[in-house]
Amino acid sequence: MKRKFITVVIPSIIIASLLSSCTNTSNSTAAKATKVSSLKDQYIKASLPSKNPEKAKNRKDTFIAAISEPGGVFLPYFYDNGWDGNATDPIFPSLVSTDEKGNPIADLAEKWDISSDNLTYTYHLRKRLKFSDGSPLTSDDVAFTLTLLDDPSYSGSFDISTCYIKGSTDYKNGKATSISGIAVVDPLTIKITTEKINPLNLTRLGGQVLSKAYYGKDYKKGNLDYLKSLYSRPLGAGPYKLDKYIPGQEIRYTANENYYKGKPKIENFIFKVTSKDTNLQLFQTGEIDSDSFSTDKDTVDQLENLGFANIRISTVSDYGFVYMNNKKPYLKDKNVRQALIYGLDRQKIVDVAYKGYGEVANVPTSPLVLSYTTDGINSYKFNPEKAKKLLEDDGWRLNSNGIREKNGQKLKISYLTSKNTDQTIPIAKENYKALGIDFEPEIMDFNTLVEKLNKGDYDLAAVRTSGLVDPNDSVEEFSSKKTSENVSGYFNPKVDELISEGVNTLNVKKRKAIYKKLYKELSDDPPVILIDYRKGLKAWNSRIKGMENDNFAGVSSTNLSKLKIEN
C-alpha cells in the first residue's frame, strides 16, 4: 500500500501504480465512472502516425515518459514525495498488483489463499524469481520487508499496525524477537496471520518486496538510518533497474534481464522532468513519448492535429484540495475553516483551471470510488456573507485597515503552492480580501512544500491526492492516530472512530454506510478545503504500442514490460 501521496496541483503524470490498497470488495463500482462535467471519456487514435517527428523515430530503443519533481528517495515505504513513488515503481513489483480498474492481479505471487475467517493470507510466489542482481527472491524477503515495516524506528508513511499482524505489537515493544504471525512455510510460500479483519490487507501485506540480502545486510532492530545510503541505489525485481538519476532533469533505467516476465522489449526507459510550460513542445518535437497535459479544448485540438498522438480524456481518480493547518490557533475553530470554504469561489477556480473538464469537489474521495456519495453533504456554495458571519461569530472583527483581528492577532494566512500558474491565487486574493483576511501566497518547489507540510510549517497548502481506489485511501490521514500522515493536525474522535470502522468489515454495503456518515462529519467539521474533480488529458506517441487499452496510459511495473516500439 502507498499512502495518499502529496502531488502537485496538476501533475504531469499519475500512473496506475498509485492505485493501491484495493480488494475485491472495492471493485463492484470501480468501473462505473461517474462523469466529471457533461463531457464523456474519449480515446482519440492517432490519425497520421507517419507524421512522427524524426527525433522520436530515431529513438528505437528508448521510451521517455514525463515526471514532475522526484526527490531522490527511491525506496518503497520510505519516501514522502509521490513522484518518488512513480520513480520506484519500475524497479519494485508487488506480490499482488492491481489492474486499471483497481482489481487485484497476480504479480510476484502467482496466487494466494485467504482463510474462511479472512484473517490468514497465504501467498504463493512464482518459481525462480530474481532480483536484478541475479540473487533469488523468496518468502524470506517478504518476511524481512514486513518485519522492517514493524521496526520500532520505522517512521515512514506505511502504517503496518492497521494490518493487525499477530505478534506485531510484541515485536515492536521488545517482548518478542520475531513476529509470530509471519510464517515462512518454504521459499515460495509465506503465511501471514492477522488478528482483525481489514479489507485492504490483500494488497497491503502483498506489497512491494525488498531484498533481505541487500537491504537487511546492516539491519539492527531500532536503527534504520543505514537505509538512507541506499535511497539512491535501489535494488528490485521489476522490469527495469536504475541506471542514473540526474536531479531536476531525468531518471534513467535499463531493462532487467532477470525480470520474471522476461527482459522488456524496450531496452531503455527514462522519466524526464517536465513542466506545464514546456511539456507540449517537448511532445510535439518528439523529445518525450508520453505525458499529461492541461485539459482544455485548445490543447486537445493541438494534440489531435499532430497526427501521431494517441489521446485519452478520462475521469481521474483523484481530487485537488488545500490543506488547512488545524494546529494553528486561528484554524482550530471550525467556524474559521468553514468561512474559508464559503468565502472561496471554488466554481470559478474550477472553471478557469479546467474550462469545462472539471467540477467542484465536496466529498474527500473520487467519483470512481465505491463509497462516493453527495447525499446529505454540504455543497458549500460560494457565500461571502455567510463566511463573514462565521468570522464575526468567532470574534474576528475588522480593524481600521480592513483586516480582521481577534485578541490582538490579525487574520493573516499563508498559502503554499508549487505551481507557478496556480489559478487559486488571484481568486483567493480577491475573495479573502473581501472577507478581511490577509492572504499571502508563496510559490516554491514541490519538495520544499512537502518538507514544510511534514514539519507543520504552513497555514494553507495546495496539493492533489494520488490515484484512489479504496474509500480508505483518501481519509485515513485524517485520523489523529496516524501521526506520521496527519499533516493537517486534524483531530475529531468521531472521525477516528468512523475511519477505523470503515476498514473493519468486508461488507460493501456496510462500508458504504460508514463512509456516508464519515463524509457528513468531515463536511460539518472540514479538515481541508476541497477544490475539484477533473478530467485528465494524456497523450502518447503512437509508436509506443501496448498503452492503448490502459486507461492510465501505463508507466507501471505491471505494464512497462508489455510495451514495444514500432515506427
Side-chain angles (χ1 to χ4, degrees):
M1 191 279 293
K2 304 185 184 79
R3 64 177 277 189
K4 184 179 78 172
F5 297 112
I6 302 163
T7 58
V8 290
V9 178
I10 299 179
S12 296
I13 192 164
I14 296 286
I15 62 177
S17 66
L18 293 179
L19 295 180
S20 58
S21 308
C22 67
T23 71
N24 283 321
T25 64
S26 303
N27 303 325
S28 59
T29 60
K32 300 176 183 177
T34 301
K35 303 304 179 187
V36 177
S37 82
S38 59
L39 293 168
K40 294 182 178 180
D41 289 359
Q42 291 178 271
Y43 171 51
I44 303 170
K45 190 175 181 180
S47 57
L48 288 170
S50 59
K51 291 179 68 176
N52 229 310
E54 289 299 315
K55 188 167 286 188
K57 287 195 289 187
N58 291 335
R59 194 168 56 247
K60 300 182 185 301
D61 65 350
T62 303
F63 170 43
I64 303 179
I67 197 169
S68 188
E69 296 185 63
V73 180
F74 302 145
L75 182 60
Y77 312 110
F78 286 84
Y79 50 79
D80 292 312
N81 181 338
W83 302 114
D84 285 347
N86 293 19
T88 61
D89 200 77
I91 304 171
F92 295 92
S94 299
L95 292 181
V96 181
S97 188
T98 56
D99 64 16
E100 68 275 8
K101 294 178 181 178
N103 300 306
I105 55 175
D107 200 352
L108 294 178
E110 62 181 1
K111 62 180 180 178
W112 53 85
D113 303 311
I114 303 175
S115 62
S116 58
D117 60 4
N118 292 295
L119 293 176
T120 301
Y121 296 77
T122 303
Y123 298 91
H124 303 275
L125 278 63
R126 298 178 188 275
K127 296 177 181 178
R128 293 179 289 278
L129 290 174
K130 293 181 181 179
F131 290 103
S132 61
D133 64 352
S135 62
L137 188 160
T138 71
S139 51
D140 278 329
D141 298 295
V142 181
F144 165 73
T145 303
L146 295 172
T147 302
L148 197 71
L149 297 174
D150 239 320
D151 190 274
S153 67
Y154 174 74
S155 59
S157 58
F158 187 99
D159 186 1
I160 200 169
S161 68
T162 59
C163 295
Y164 309 115
I165 301 174
K166 185 178 180 181
S168 175
T169 302
D170 285 345
Y171 176 75
K172 185 170 289 189
N173 294 339
K175 296 180 180 179
T177 57
S178 62
I179 302 171
S180 60
I182 300 175
V184 174
V185 179
D186 59 50
L188 300 181
T189 311
I190 185 166
K191 181 182 290 187
I192 303 165
T193 302
T194 65
E195 296 178 318
K196 290 176 65 177
I197 287 175
N198 185 332
L200 315 180
N201 267 351
L202 177 62
T203 49
R204 283 197 172 192
L205 298 172
Q208 292 165 299
V209 180
L210 307 183
S211 165
K212 181 178 180 180
Y214 185 69
Y215 290 105
K217 184 171 61 175
D218 297 318
Y219 173 63
K220 293 180 181 179
K221 185 180 178 181
N223 184 5
L224 299 183
D225 285 346
Y226 75 94
L227 289 170
K228 293 178 181 178
S229 65
L230 301 177
Y231 285 171
S232 61
R233 296 183 287 138
L235 173 71
Y240 285 88
K241 52 188 178 181
L242 183 69
D243 178 28
K244 188 174 185 180
Y245 170 48
I246 306 174
Q249 297 183 43
E250 62 187 30
I251 310 169
R252 300 175 185 170
Y253 307 78
T254 57
N256 176 14
E257 64 275 11
N258 290 310
Y259 184 49
Y260 78 89
K261 291 183 181 180
K263 184 178 179 181
K265 295 180 177 65
I266 301 176
E267 181 65 30
N268 303 298
F269 170 58
I270 296 173
F271 265 134
K272 186 177 182 66
V273 176
T274 66
S275 70
K276 184 185 175 184
D277 298 329
T278 61
N279 65 347
L280 184 56
Q281 180 184 352
L282 292 172
F283 186 78
Q284 288 174 327
T285 57
E287 292 180 63
I288 59 174
D289 295 310
S290 174
D291 203 348
S292 293
F293 303 88
S294 297
T295 312
D296 58 73
K297 190 175 185 305
D298 288 343
T299 304
V300 173
D301 289 344
Q302 288 183 68
L303 289 168
E304 195 168 359
N305 289 335
L306 292 176
F308 64 83
N310 287 328
I311 303 164
R312 189 179 294 282
I313 303 169
S314 57
T315 302
V316 182
S317 192
D318 67 7
Y319 63 88
F321 67 103
V322 175
Y323 273 119
M324 294 187 280
N325 191 341
N326 290 242
K327 288 186 176 181
K328 293 295 180 78
Y330 39 91
L331 293 173
K332 278 185 177 180
D333 195 304
K334 77 174 183 180
N335 276 13
V336 177
R337 283 180 271 126
Q338 287 185 348
L340 290 174
I341 305 174
Y342 277 119
L344 183 63
D345 194 343
R346 296 180 297 149
Q347 186 63 60
K348 187 174 182 180
I349 293 171
V350 171
D351 290 344
V352 171
Y354 297 108
K355 300 177 178 65
Y357 287 87
E359 66 181 47
V360 173
N362 288 307
V363 178
T365 192
S366 160
L368 305 182
V369 174
L370 70 91
S371 59
Y372 177 81
T373 179
T374 57
D375 186 20
I377 301 300
N378 186 351
S379 64
Y380 283 96
K381 289 186 178 179
F382 183 49
N383 190 335
E385 294 307 312
K386 184 156 189 172
K388 290 176 184 177
K389 186 177 186 308
L390 285 165
L391 293 172
E392 289 283 344
D393 291 347
D394 204 48
W396 292 95
R397 306 282 187 257
L398 291 173
N399 64 18
S400 58
N401 295 318
I403 303 298
R404 294 192 180 272
E405 284 189 13
K406 180 179 179 180
N407 299 326
Q409 181 180 11
K410 293 180 181 179
L411 191 51
K412 181 178 180 180
I413 296 179
S414 67
Y415 172 84
L416 309 185
T417 179
S418 61
K419 186 168 176 280
N420 290 322
T421 56
D422 188 341
Q423 293 88 349
T424 298
I425 291 176
I427 296 169
K429 268 187 175 181
E430 179 183 348
N431 291 166
Y432 288 154
K433 182 179 180 180
L435 298 180
I437 298 172
D438 187 355
F439 177 78
E440 294 194 345
E442 185 178 355
I443 301 170
M444 61 192 61
D445 71 86
F446 178 60
N447 292 303
T448 300
L449 188 150
V450 172
E451 184 179 349
K452 283 181 170 289
L453 278 171
N454 285 331
K455 289 180 178 178
D457 183 18
Y458 75 98
D459 292 331
L460 305 180
V463 297
R464 286 204 83 83
T465 72
S466 64
L468 306 172
V469 173
D470 189 86
N472 186 66
D473 291 350
S474 59
V475 297
E476 65 177 341
E477 71 164 285
F478 300 136
S479 170
S480 62
K481 299 173 184 177
K482 305 285 183 179
T483 54
S484 65
E485 296 181 46
N486 189 356
V487 297
S488 64
Y490 182 71
F491 176 75
N492 183 322
K494 189 173 180 180
V495 166
D496 287 353
E497 181 182 345
L498 290 168
I499 290 173
S500 180
E501 287 181 14
V503 293
N504 283 337
T505 178
L506 297 174
N507 185 291
V508 172
K509 187 175 180 180
K510 288 182 179 179
R511 294 192 80 200
K512 285 183 178 181
I514 291 167
Y515 286 105
K516 182 177 179 180
K517 292 179 183 177
L518 176 59
Y519 297 150
K520 177 69 166 59
E521 186 64 28
L522 289 171
S523 178
D524 293 342
D525 182 22
V528 300
I529 302 173
L530 300 173
I531 302 293
D532 68 83
Y533 304 125
R534 67 190 175 107
K535 293 283 189 183
L537 171 60
K538 304 176 181 69
W540 63 96
N541 193 300
S542 58
R543 60 192 266 282
I544 306 298
K545 306 299 180 182
M547 301 175 74
E548 291 79 5
N549 298 320
D550 181 2
N551 190 42
F552 298 93
V555 192
S556 70
S557 64
T558 54
N559 45 22
L560 266 174
S561 62
K562 303 175 185 176
L563 304 184
K564 59 183 179 179
I565 297 175
E566 290 182 4
N567 283 316

